[in-house]
Amino acid sequence: MRLRALLDTDALGLRLLGGQDELDRTVRGVMTTDLRDPSRYLSGGELVLTGLAWRRGPADSEPFVRLLAGAGVTALAAGEAELGPVPDDLVTACAQHRLPLFAVNESVAFATITEHVVRQVSGERAGDLAAVVDRHRRMMTSGPAGGGPDVVLDLLGSDLDLRAWVLSPAGRLIAGSRLAETELAPGVCTKLAGEHLAAVRTGRRGPHRVTVGPATYSLFPVRGGGRGTAGARDVRETVLSEWLLAVEADAGDWPEERLDLLEGVTQLIAVERDRRDAARTVRRRLAQEVLELVQTGAAPGEIAARLRVAAPVLLPGLGAAPHWQVVVARVEWDEARGGPAGFPAESAGGGRRIEGPAGGLAGGPVAQALLEEILVDPRSSGPEPSDRIAVAHTGDEAVALVPLPAVSSEHDGSETGLLADTILEAVREPLSAGLDGDGRLTLGVSAAVHSAEGLRGALEEARHARRVAAARPGRVCAAGHQELASHVLLLPFVPDDVRRAFTARLLDPLREYDRRHRAELIPTLEAFLDCDGSWTRCAARLHLHVNTLRYRVGRIEQLTGRDLSRLEDKLDFFLALRMS
């Protein structure tokens, strides 16, 4: 379609600000973005829609327009809903680069323009298919009461008799049509997500057809405006963060009109995906601010003040300040494809692991997107559960600040909050497919802390746990704070904060018990180890009956979850006592 046709459509609310002589340009697609440099996601011929959030001052307009013109964009449309009239410096920049510029009336949603372009560009369709798209548009742009992926999928079911679901890259169910009387089994979701990621990584064109049991599914990628468009430099930047549309049908026999329709539907669903990403901006900013304060050694009072701001955003309605956990993730790619990242060169077929970006590929944003996905309870559905997770990224790692509504204050050896062993359990298979032989995800989890004073130690603890995970074989690995209480890790280069975490993990429950009950568990433990675990010699040294000694040792084991008959646990206690 041509720009002139868009301008002549009153319902789109477009007003021409420049480029009268360029209205015969052809529009081949549409993209919504507020990135300062969206050029990597452009393939040429797009109408670019923007809310101008990228513009911080007049000097920003010319570089932005220059990038669009260089990418072959057909025209730019700037919304007036958020920042008011389009600034003169943007008008001047577009005139300089001969890029047609439209203003979008504040009463018109970008989704309305997106759907109109998709419908027109897809060509003529049968009347029933065009009606479906039009109903999709009305539903998706009617506000919270009527929008969302579920509505689109319901219309696919009612109008085209298609059972369809939207899945996350890790196989979590985002939405499903009511025609699908039962949800996809978790194992099927995981299988479909893994097959989709593997197909995208190998460059196969969609839709991808997969057979699981008696059913055949066609998988369509859902690419948001800021992610994963055809112009992306490297598929690894986006493959682990894209949603997918799974349709229970074999699309290999479909006519072009129906394939075009499904492509349009994925663009409508992408509107919801982009809306969710935009909603994460505040949480990401809060996490970034807290992370910077912790890393620069800010006063605990300053960090606590920032946490008080973050708590209502992350946990609305929570009466008391929550406890917090820190999760650190890192994604690494092989410099030479074919060797698994994180493995020695001699076992990797010539591939050499690199700690930084591969070929300029930044690992931090990829790890950030992954954490935002995998920290959601896999049993939950819909996009909302991720609204309580704040993830920042720095360099090649991502750091998540996870609020916990309630954590036991008793040192009874029980575990609370996130556990490293279970975080990756449901997502290991699809993520391994997405990493596709040349990438690796490692993740570390801290213990829960109840104050700002503990966050720096929690961050170091999570980072060290991630290094423990990196030392293990496997494409996707995690380690938790529990695993830091092992003597093999207490090497001279271990940070002081981690040493303190090690000794606290083993000895604080005993110290607290001694303080409350005057039970002398710490002296008993020291004597028991000095006597090499001999019951009679230790009882004689402490002037105790052997049964009393056995009771005390049993209490030590109960409080710490250790077994003093095992050499490894004896050695861990020995080191903890020496370092304390």
Side-chain angles (χ1 to χ4, degrees):
M1 67 177 303
R2 300 188 184 277
L3 287 176
R4 193 180 305 279
L6 289 175
L7 191 61
D8 292 340
T9 305
D10 294 337
L12 299 184
L14 296 176
R15 187 173 75 259
L16 184 65
L17 299 181
Q20 178 70 38
D21 297 335
E22 308 291 335
L23 292 181
D24 287 328
R25 288 188 179 190
T26 300
V27 179
R28 294 198 296 268
V30 63
M31 174 185 178
T32 300
T33 185
D34 275 312
L35 295 174
R36 294 173 67 86
D37 179 7
S39 58
R40 71 181 66 177
Y41 305 119
L42 296 167
S43 56
E46 294 93 348
L47 169 66
V48 172
L49 308 174
T50 181
L52 300 178
W54 50 266
R55 182 184 177 275
R56 300 174 184 173
D60 292 335
S61 292
E62 195 280 331
F64 179 78
V65 173
R66 178 170 12 101
L67 290 168
L68 297 188
V73 165
T74 297
L76 174 65
E80 298 180 322
E82 293 293 332
L83 302 178
V86 177
D88 292 339
D89 49 272
L90 184 59
V91 177
T92 301
C94 287
Q96 177 184 344
H97 292 279
R98 299 181 61 84
L99 184 68
L101 175 63
F102 298 94
V104 182
N105 189 279
E106 63 181 358
S107 64
V108 178
F110 282 177
T112 300
I113 301 173
T114 298
E115 192 282 327
H116 181 83
V117 172
V118 169
R119 180 152 48 95
Q120 295 299 321
V121 170
S122 296
E124 296 183 359
R125 299 188 177 100
D128 61 333
L129 298 184
V132 172
V133 175
D134 189 58
R135 290 173 64 188
H136 289 172
R137 179 194 61 78
R138 293 199 302 271
M139 287 297 192
M140 289 296 290
T141 60
S142 60
D150 297 275
V151 174
V152 179
L153 300 186
D154 284 345
L155 289 171
L156 278 179
S158 62
D159 288 65
L160 300 180
D161 197 30
L162 291 175
R163 290 159 44 94
W165 301 264
V166 177
L167 305 178
S168 78
R172 185 170 62 88
L173 184 66
I174 303 293
S177 62
R178 279 179 288 189
L179 181 66
E181 297 178 358
T182 59
E183 293 185 353
L184 286 178
V188 176
C189 292
T190 299
K191 177 69 172 176
L192 294 179
E195 292 286 344
H196 169 74
L197 292 175
V200 172
R201 284 300 312 277
T202 54
R204 285 159 38 204
R205 293 180 59 84
H208 314 300
R209 286 174 288 168
V210 179
T211 299
V212 182
T216 298
Y217 302 87
S218 295
L219 311 179
F220 298 80
V222 176
R223 297 189 170 103
R227 306 173 182 265
T229 61
R233 291 181 307 179
D234 194 318
V235 70
R236 293 175 296 180
E237 293 184 76
T238 58
V239 67
L240 296 175
S241 59
E242 290 177 349
W243 288 355
L244 67 134
L245 173 66
V247 180
E248 189 177 351
D250 187 345
D253 300 328
W254 285 4
E256 288 296 324
E257 290 83 358
R258 180 164 287 201
L259 288 173
D260 286 344
L261 174 67
L262 265 293
E263 180 65 26
V265 168
T266 64
Q267 292 190 32
L268 292 175
I269 295 173
V271 172
E272 178 66 26
R273 173 61 193 262
D274 291 343
R275 184 181 298 130
R276 185 187 74 159
D277 282 348
R280 283 177 168 170
T281 302
V282 174
R283 295 187 297 279
R284 286 174 172 174
R285 185 183 303 123
L286 287 172
Q288 197 73 44
E289 290 173 355
V290 173
L291 176 61
E292 290 174 359
L293 290 174
V294 171
Q295 292 190 132
T296 56
E302 186 177 359
I303 299 175
R306 183 57 55 190
L307 288 177
R308 284 194 293 272
V309 173
V313 175
L314 298 174
L315 286 178
L318 187 67
H323 293 65
W324 304 91
Q325 268 183 294
V326 176
V327 181
V328 171
R330 188 182 181 101
V331 174
E332 297 169 324
W333 304 96
D334 262 11
E335 185 177 29
R337 185 177 176 87
F343 290 89
E346 59 269 19
S347 65
R352 180 168 64 87
R353 184 173 66 90
I354 53 176
E355 291 293 332
L361 177 62
V366 179
Q368 181 184 46
L370 277 176
L371 273 187
E372 288 173 336
E373 167 59 31
I374 65 180
L375 291 180
V376 178
D377 187 339
R379 295 167 298 182
S380 64
S381 61
E384 291 76 16
S386 61
D387 290 351
R388 294 186 175 185
I389 298 167
V391 186
H393 71 82
T394 173
D396 293 317
E397 75 173 9
V399 179
L401 188 64
V402 182
L404 304 175
V407 178
S408 173
S409 61
E410 294 295 324
H411 294 290
D412 57 1
S414 64
E415 297 300 337
T416 54
L418 300 172
L419 298 177
D421 292 340
T422 59
I423 288 177
L424 297 180
E425 182 177 344
V427 300
R428 192 181 306 275
E429 179 181 342
L431 292 186
S432 296
L435 293 166
D436 190 36
D438 68 343
R440 195 159 192 246
L441 167 67
T442 52
L443 183 146
V445 183
S446 78
V449 295
H450 67 279
S451 66
E453 289 86 347
L455 274 181
R456 183 173 179 81
L459 177 60
E460 290 300 324
E461 189 175 57
R463 281 175 170 163
H464 194 67
R466 191 208 64 79
R467 289 193 289 270
V468 172
R472 296 171 174 168
R475 190 64 50 203
V476 179
C477 297
H481 57 92
Q482 308 93 330
E483 298 172 73
L484 299 185
S486 175
H487 62 278
V488 297
L489 304 177
L490 295 176
L491 304 175
F493 62 83
V494 176
D496 289 341
D497 288 332
V498 177
R499 291 175 179 265
R500 286 192 291 270
F502 173 84
T503 57
R505 178 77 180 170
L506 287 175
L507 302 184
D508 277 2
L510 308 182
R511 290 169 178 153
E512 178 65 14
Y513 193 88
D514 281 349
R515 185 187 64 79
R516 288 183 294 162
H517 303 285
R518 298 181 181 180
E520 297 186 342
L521 295 185
I522 292 289
T524 301
L525 175 61
E526 291 175 328
F528 187 73
L529 295 176
D530 285 343
C531 294
D532 297 323
S534 169
W535 296 101
T536 54
R537 280 194 290 136
C538 183
R541 176 182 296 190
L542 295 176
H543 307 290
L544 296 174
H545 191 279
V546 171
N547 287 343
T548 303
L549 176 61
R550 291 185 184 278
Y551 173 83
R552 289 187 183 181
V553 171
R555 177 61 66 183
I556 291 170
E557 292 175 335
Q558 179 184 13
L559 290 171
T560 61
R562 297 302 188 102
D563 182 356
L564 279 167
S565 67
R566 298 178 69 248
L567 176 61
E568 293 87 351
D569 289 344
K570 288 179 183 176
L571 185 52
D572 285 344
F573 277 122
F574 174 82
L575 290 172
L577 288 168
R578 290 299 180 270
M579 288 192 298
S580 65

